[in-house]
């Protein structure tokens, strides 16, 4: 098992190098001069040349990447020209809000998806299975941002149960209760699609396990159906579902861009949308790189958890 974990840890090094290269090249291929976009009406040739020199845009492309990657290795992500503050400080501040939203949505989708998938498999072809399948298909098919708008119209505008935007109340806000009150709608909206995917794959994995010989043996020994399902079948099915949960973490981080914009959540996704519109080059690169690194680390944790649960990986 330790050799497996060591290989997984070493494998993320080229992944991080590839991520940094992809992020840098994508930003470099965007048409237009970032200096002119930043300066706007003050984009005189002298000012453009000065900004190009400050951002190292006057250097060859490979040299720009080496300078940027070298600075990142030393913990220097540069300085946001628009916000006039270090990129890393802004990214980490926004990342905490995104992790609150994304972590809540992932936890909610994992619990509901595993529960719905297990019930659907145990009651295969019953009315519960058919209802869950219908709800799952609807959840997977509908766009997240559209679901978010419906949530706002129904629960924030019509019923006025939850606030429509923000992380805390503007007047007199603060505390966990206020945070949970604002978190409910965006977290549920973000969790809907991931819940559907996890539920479908949990159902498939459970049906596979329930047909295996050791399940029939456990039943023949006189174990109760509850113990057979939750102590034996569910644990084996969970091994196959854990990597999918890690992949859904990436979907949650990506979907946060839309959900944070719809609900005006002050997270990393909303920051990236504004940074792209203002062509804040270093802020976009730093934000995307940190988000991608978070996704890689989450998948690494999922692989480690899978290795702990799967006896085939312990040797």
């Amino acid at each position: 098992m330790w050799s497996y974990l060591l290989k997984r840890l070493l494998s993320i090094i080229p992944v991080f190098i590839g991520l940094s290269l992809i992020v840098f090249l994508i930003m470099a291929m965007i048409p237009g001069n970032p200096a002119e976009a930043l300066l706007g009406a003050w984009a005189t040739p002298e000012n453009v040349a000065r900004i190009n020199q400050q951002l190292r845009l006057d250097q060859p492309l490979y040299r720009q990447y080496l300078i940027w990657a070298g600075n990142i290795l030393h913990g220097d992500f540069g300085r946001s020209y628009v916000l006039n503050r270090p990129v890393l400080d802004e990214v980490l501040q926004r990342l905490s809000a995104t992790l609150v939203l994304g972590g809540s949505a992932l936890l909610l989708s994992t619990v509901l998806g595993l529960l719905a998938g297990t019930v659907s498999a145990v009651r295969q072809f019953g009315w519960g299975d058919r209802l869950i399948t219908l709800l799952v298909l609807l959840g997977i098919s509908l766009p997240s941002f559209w679901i978010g708008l419906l949530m706002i119209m129904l629960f924030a505008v019509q019923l006025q149960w939850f606030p429509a935007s923000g992380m805390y109340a503007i007047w007199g806000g603060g505390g966990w209760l206020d945070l949970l009150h604002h978190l409910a709608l965006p977290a549920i909206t973000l969790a809907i699609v991931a819940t559907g995917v996890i539920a479908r794959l949990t159902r498939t994995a459970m049906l596979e396990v329930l047909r295996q010989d050791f399940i029939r043996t456990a039943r023949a020994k006189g174990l109760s159906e509850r113990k057979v399902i939750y102590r034996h079948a569910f644990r084996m099915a969970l091994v196959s579902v854990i990597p999918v949960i890690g992949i859904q973490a990436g979907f949650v981080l990506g979907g946060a861009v839309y959900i944070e914009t719809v609900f005006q959540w002050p997270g990393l996704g909303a920051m990236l949308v504004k940074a792209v519109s203002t062509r804040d080059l270093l802020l976009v690169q730093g934000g995307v790189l940190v988000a991608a690194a978070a996704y890689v680390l989450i998948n690494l944790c999922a692989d480690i958890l899978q290795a702990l649960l799967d006896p085939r990986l312990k040797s």
Side-chain angles (χ1 to χ4, degrees):
M1 175 181 174
W2 291 109
S3 61
Y4 170 79
L5 296 180
L6 181 61
K7 290 178 182 178
R8 289 294 293 118
L9 289 172
L10 292 177
S11 67
I12 68 174
I13 296 176
V15 172
F16 279 132
I17 295 174
L19 280 175
S20 66
L21 187 60
I22 291 173
V23 169
F24 178 82
L25 290 177
I26 288 176
M27 293 305 302
M29 289 188 295
I30 295 178
N33 191 328
E36 294 179 357
L38 289 172
L39 291 170
W42 290 272
T44 62
E46 295 79 10
N47 290 336
V48 170
R50 178 172 55 85
I51 297 300
N52 282 334
Q53 185 177 10
Q54 290 179 0
L55 297 178
R56 308 295 179 89
L57 298 177
D58 56 343
Q59 301 286 337
L61 194 60
Y62 75 92
R63 188 168 180 80
Q64 293 180 37
Y65 171 75
L66 292 177
I67 294 173
W68 176 69
N71 291 336
I72 287 178
L73 290 177
H74 291 87
D76 181 14
F77 282 67
R79 192 173 188 86
S80 169
Y81 197 84
V82 175
L83 302 176
N84 194 26
R85 65 174 302 190
V87 167
L88 188 59
D89 292 349
E90 179 69 16
V91 169
L92 292 180
Q93 179 181 342
R94 296 298 192 108
L95 181 63
S96 61
T98 296
L99 290 179
V100 169
L101 175 59
S104 302
L106 186 63
L107 178 62
L108 185 62
S109 63
T110 300
V111 173
L112 293 179
L114 291 175
L115 180 61
T118 302
V119 172
S120 183
V122 172
R123 304 183 181 277
Q124 186 183 17
F125 304 130
W127 67 267
D129 182 24
R130 297 178 190 276
L131 179 60
I132 291 173
T133 300
L134 176 62
L135 294 176
V136 164
L137 291 177
L138 286 175
I140 294 175
S141 304
L142 299 177
S144 296
F145 67 89
W146 187 72
I147 296 175
L149 294 175
L150 291 181
M151 290 280 195
I152 292 175
M153 291 178 60
L154 178 59
F155 295 105
V157 177
Q158 297 293 333
L159 299 176
Q160 297 184 358
W161 289 354
F162 299 99
S165 63
M167 191 172 178
Y168 293 101
I170 299 176
W171 296 282
W176 284 103
L177 290 178
D178 190 27
L179 174 61
L180 292 175
H181 195 212
H182 285 76
L183 179 63
L185 288 185
I188 292 173
T189 302
L190 190 56
I192 286 176
V193 176
T195 300
V197 174
I198 294 173
R200 289 299 295 171
L201 292 175
T202 301
R203 180 183 185 274
T204 302
M206 281 291 295
L207 289 175
E208 263 185 48
V209 173
L210 289 172
R211 297 189 185 103
Q212 293 184 14
D213 293 337
F214 77 94
I215 296 296
R216 287 193 289 269
T217 302
R219 285 170 173 161
K221 289 181 177 179
L223 294 179
S224 65
E225 190 67 14
R226 183 181 295 272
K227 287 185 178 180
V228 170
I229 292 173
Y230 294 104
R231 184 175 296 180
H232 297 281
F234 179 74
R235 181 176 178 178
M236 289 301 298
L238 189 60
V239 173
S240 303
V241 179
I242 284 177
V244 178
I245 297 175
I247 294 173
Q248 290 309 300
F251 169 81
V252 168
L253 287 175
V257 175
Y258 307 104
I259 302 305
E260 288 178 2
T261 302
V262 171
F263 289 94
Q264 293 299 297
W265 188 268
L268 195 61
M271 182 205 75
L272 288 174
V273 172
K274 294 179 181 178
V276 170
S277 63
T278 57
R279 295 298 299 275
D280 198 343
L281 185 66
L282 292 177
L283 187 58
V284 175
Q285 290 176 334
V288 173
L289 186 62
V290 169
Y295 173 56
V296 172
L297 292 176
I298 290 172
N299 275 274
L300 176 63
C301 293
D303 288 345
I304 293 174
L305 182 58
Q306 183 187 26
L308 293 174
L309 293 176
D310 193 346
R312 292 170 297 181
L313 298 176
K314 292 184 179 180
S315 56

